[in-house]
Amino acid sequence: MFNLFKKKKEEVKAPQFLPLKVREVVKETEDTVTLYFEQPEPFLDYKPGQFLTLVMEFEGKEQRRSYSLCTSPYVDPFPGISVKRVPNGKFSNFLNERVFPGKTINVLKPLGNFTTDFHSKNKKHFFLVAAGSGITPIMGILKSVLVNEPNSKISLLYCSRNEKQIIFKKELDSLVEKNADRLEVIHNLSQPGAAWSGLCGRLSKETIFEFVQKAESEPEFEKEYFACGPEGIMDNVEEVLEGLGVAREKIHRESFYSAAADKAHEDAAHGITGGLLTRDVTVILEGEESIVTVSPDKTILEAGLSQDLNMPYSCQSGLCTACRGKLLSGKVKMDEDAGLSPNEIEAGYVLCCVGHPLTDDVKITIE
Ligand SMILES: Cc1cc2nc3c(=O)[nH]c(=O)nc-3n(C[C@H](O)[C@H](O)[C@H](O)COP(=O)(O)OP(=O)(O)OC[C@H]3O[C@@H](n4cnc5c(N)ncnc54)[C@H](O)[C@@H]3O)c2cc1C
Ligand code: FES
């Protein structure tokens, strides 16, 4: 459809790519590297637990992926991300194999709500659950608590496949040694070696319950909970905490991968579109209205980008909220909504990267 109001890319403020120069590459395990970047000018402004969006070109097309900062702005002189290989993954294998000090990578400014406010007066017990590469944002949070909150303590339950796959093992051991009264790290290995005497196997709800129930006997500590790892583990953590009556706002979770969004992309590529119809959607971006025609095999974001609208995005999986908009009218179906809190969903927020219009009057404003 011809669109008089369409806001072309060149008319819109281009996204602010920030070029970051790789300073150091550290091999953490056989399939994970940490990339430390030189500080840009001014210094990178981020909160512990937030992520960077890396922008690179593959197969002639600009692509983006989100990577959590594993560093703390209060402790580490240089910002860093840790990247674990995914079989056949474009970014994760490239970053593991082909990045060396001196290389410049474009990023978008840090984003994300997997964080909290740190204050020297806080007296909290932080319960952190991480699995695999899910340790990255947890590491930034953990280090920030240790340095900013002398009266707070931390318990970390960290799941890895085996001894060799434990990312940041040395750094964690050293932090425990220096903060023995405030930091406890419990490892759970799914496939440990014969000599392993710690927790092992699939992380059960019973183990999670035993881990968090220590909080019951500590009324003097405020509690806060962070979980980052596969959806199954985080669902179990949330279920156990809800069973214990923990308030929703005290539980933070971050997902790196959505099987539901992945399946929806696959289905769309194979023409399976679940009865969706082509509809026009009104998108308000930086105050200007555009009409975006969304076909059944596209998300609102994909349709907007293909019409040269400069819509914000990062993960394209419904997890990071970079593409969040507020629904002013109509109905939208989301393939995934893990990135949104129940309050945001109730308030009418939608994620354009996984959103499809269900009615003809969909109007979304992107702030
Ligand atoms: C907020 C956020 C923070 C993140 N932080 C980190 C981080 O700190 N460290 C890190 O290593 N990753 C992190 N990720 C994941 C990262 O963004 C990429 O998704 C991941 O590196 C795979 O990208 P790729 O280009 O290598 O794979 P792709 O080329 O995108 O995918 C290749 C294939 O693998 C599948 N796939 C992708 N990821 C997974 C998975 N996890 N499990 C199973 N199948 C998968 C894809 O569907 C596809 O079929 C984060 C994601 C989000 C949303
Ligand atoms: S781009 Fe991450 S939720 Fe849409």
Side-chain angles (χ1 to χ4, degrees):
M1 177 183 164
F2 181 65
N3 168 22
L4 274 178
F5 306 105
K6 192 163 73 180
K7 204 175 177 190
K8 293 274 188 194
K9 233 179 201 162
E10 56 272 21
E11 294 163 9
V12 188
K13 239 192 291 156
Q16 294 290 304
F17 292 153
L18 175 67
L20 288 186
K21 194 181 207 185
V22 177
R23 176 189 166 88
E24 194 186 355
V25 180
V26 176
K27 197 161 171 61
E28 302 287 354
T29 67
E30 61 186 13
D31 62 0
T32 302
V33 288
T34 298
L35 309 181
Y36 291 97
F37 299 102
E38 299 286 2
Q39 281 287 5
E41 198 53 60
F43 277 20
L44 191 73
D45 184 15
Y46 69 99
K47 293 184 186 153
Q50 287 194 309
F51 62 88
L52 288 176
T53 303
L54 271 60
V55 185
M56 297 203 284
E57 203 165 290
F58 284 98
E59 294 138 14
K61 206 173 131 214
E62 180 196 294
Q63 302 194 31
R64 301 182 185 187
R65 297 286 185 281
S66 328
Y67 290 98
S68 303
L69 286 141
C70 58
T71 45
S72 161
Y74 310 115
V75 180
D76 298 296
F78 303 102
I81 56 168
S82 299
V83 182
K84 187 175 162 104
R85 280 179 197 266
V86 165
N88 304 318
K90 290 192 193 81
F91 273 61
S92 58
N93 288 291
F94 180 88
L95 296 170
N96 266 272
E97 281 162 22
R98 311 259 299 273
V99 171
F100 302 98
K103 183 174 173 59
T104 296
I105 300 178
N106 278 337
V107 307
L108 297 178
K109 68 172 186 174
L111 283 174
N113 305 319
F114 191 67
T115 187
T116 188
D117 291 328
F118 301 91
H119 197 288
S120 60
K121 286 197 179 139
N122 283 351
K123 185 171 180 167
K124 292 189 187 175
H125 191 160
F126 287 86
F127 287 89
L128 314 176
V129 180
S133 56
I135 191 66
T136 46
I138 295 278
M139 201 65 187
I141 290 165
L142 181 154
K143 289 197 269 185
S144 303
V145 175
L146 289 177
V147 74
N148 281 323
E149 302 197 355
N151 302 314
S152 293
K153 58 182 191 171
I154 305 166
S155 297
L156 166 65
L157 176 56
Y158 179 16
C159 306
S160 308
R161 181 168 303 150
N162 56 42
E163 292 84 338
K164 285 191 178 155
Q165 296 260 332
I166 302 175
I167 305 168
F168 305 130
K169 172 80 168 66
K170 270 197 195 142
E171 198 175 351
L172 282 169
D173 287 349
S174 147
L175 287 169
V176 170
E177 211 178 295
K178 289 187 199 132
N179 302 278
D181 53 334
R182 299 204 292 136
L183 172 63
E184 157 194 48
V185 177
I186 302 167
H187 291 281
N188 184 98
L189 301 184
S190 57
Q191 294 166 26
W196 180 252
S197 58
L199 290 177
C200 58
R202 249 180 112 217
L203 185 65
S204 65
K205 282 193 210 162
E206 290 69 32
T207 305
I208 298 168
F209 178 79
E210 271 172 37
F211 174 66
V212 294
Q213 69 140 20
K214 285 175 234 164
E216 304 271 287
S217 59
E218 299 175 332
E220 71 277 24
F221 284 90
E222 198 187 318
K223 323 295 179 310
E224 200 158 355
Y225 304 84
F226 288 82
C228 185
E231 283 168 21
I233 290 187
M234 290 193 297
D235 287 346
N236 284 346
V237 170
E238 206 167 320
E239 210 175 292
V240 168
L241 292 176
E242 276 170 8
L244 288 167
V246 173
R248 186 65 199 79
E249 61 271 17
K250 294 286 173 198
I251 310 170
H252 310 262
R253 54 185 280 177
E254 184 87 300
S255 290
F256 286 179
Y257 173 69
S258 163
D262 209 9
K263 181 169 184 308
H265 276 121
E266 280 274 299
D267 284 354
H270 291 97
I272 305 164
T273 54
L276 292 168
L277 302 175
T278 297
R279 296 181 198 272
D280 284 349
V281 168
T282 306
V283 174
I284 307 173
L285 186 60
E286 292 173 18
E288 275 188 43
E289 275 192 25
S290 305
I291 306 294
V292 174
T293 303
V294 187
S295 56
D297 60 334
K298 292 236 172 348
T299 63
I300 296 169
L301 174 75
E302 286 167 338
L305 294 177
S306 70
Q307 288 184 211
D308 278 350
L309 260 192
N310 229 325
M311 293 167 72
Y313 70 97
S314 176
C315 73
Q316 290 181 271
S317 305
L319 301 173
C320 76
T321 71
C323 65
R324 194 183 80 152
K326 188 153 191 199
L327 195 61
L328 301 180
S329 63
K331 278 191 178 165
V332 165
K333 165 184 172 287
M334 285 187 277
D335 301 322
E336 172 63 89
D337 61 10
L340 294 175
S341 67
N343 287 348
E344 286 175 305
I345 292 174
E346 183 131 340
Y349 285 99
V350 291
L351 299 170
C352 295
C353 72
V354 284
H356 307 271
L358 287 180
T359 55
D360 286 332
D361 57 346
V362 170
K363 192 172 193 176
I364 298 170
T365 178
I366 298 173
E367 288 135 18

